[in-house]
Amino acid sequence: MRDFLLGLAFVIGGGVVIAVAQTYPTMPTLQFGPSLFPSLIGGGMVIGGLVLALTRVGQLRIAFAGPVPRHHDTIIGAC
């Protein structure tokens, strides 16, 4: 559960970083402005947070599903 919450915090924090970076002024003579690097960092935070949170959700789903029933006496593909 802590991994999921930490991933969610990274997604929110990365979104805030991107939102704040978009408010930086642009330089008319430069192709890339001062908001590029913070936006890349924020994007990495969002992607990493999503991976962390979604991985944990998949693990929790498997844990709560219970054991998978196996029938050893049946032959797969037999009619």
Side-chain angles (χ1 to χ4, degrees):
M1 188 65 168
R2 286 183 287 175
D3 289 342
F4 176 73
L5 294 176
L6 188 61
L8 213 55
F10 268 99
V11 169
I12 292 169
V16 169
V17 168
I18 292 172
V20 170
Q22 297 305 312
T23 64
Y24 292 163
T26 58
M27 306 293 232
T29 58
L30 298 175
Q31 186 176 5
F32 303 107
S35 66
L36 176 65
F37 187 69
S39 296
L40 290 175
I41 297 297
M45 288 175 66
V46 169
I47 291 170
L50 282 174
V51 168
L52 184 63
L54 294 178
T55 301
R56 188 60 185 158
V57 166
Q59 291 173 351
L60 287 174
R61 186 178 306 155
I62 291 170
F64 286 123
V68 177
R70 296 180 183 228
H71 303 288
H72 294 288
D73 56 345
T74 60
I75 299 173
I76 298 174
C79 295

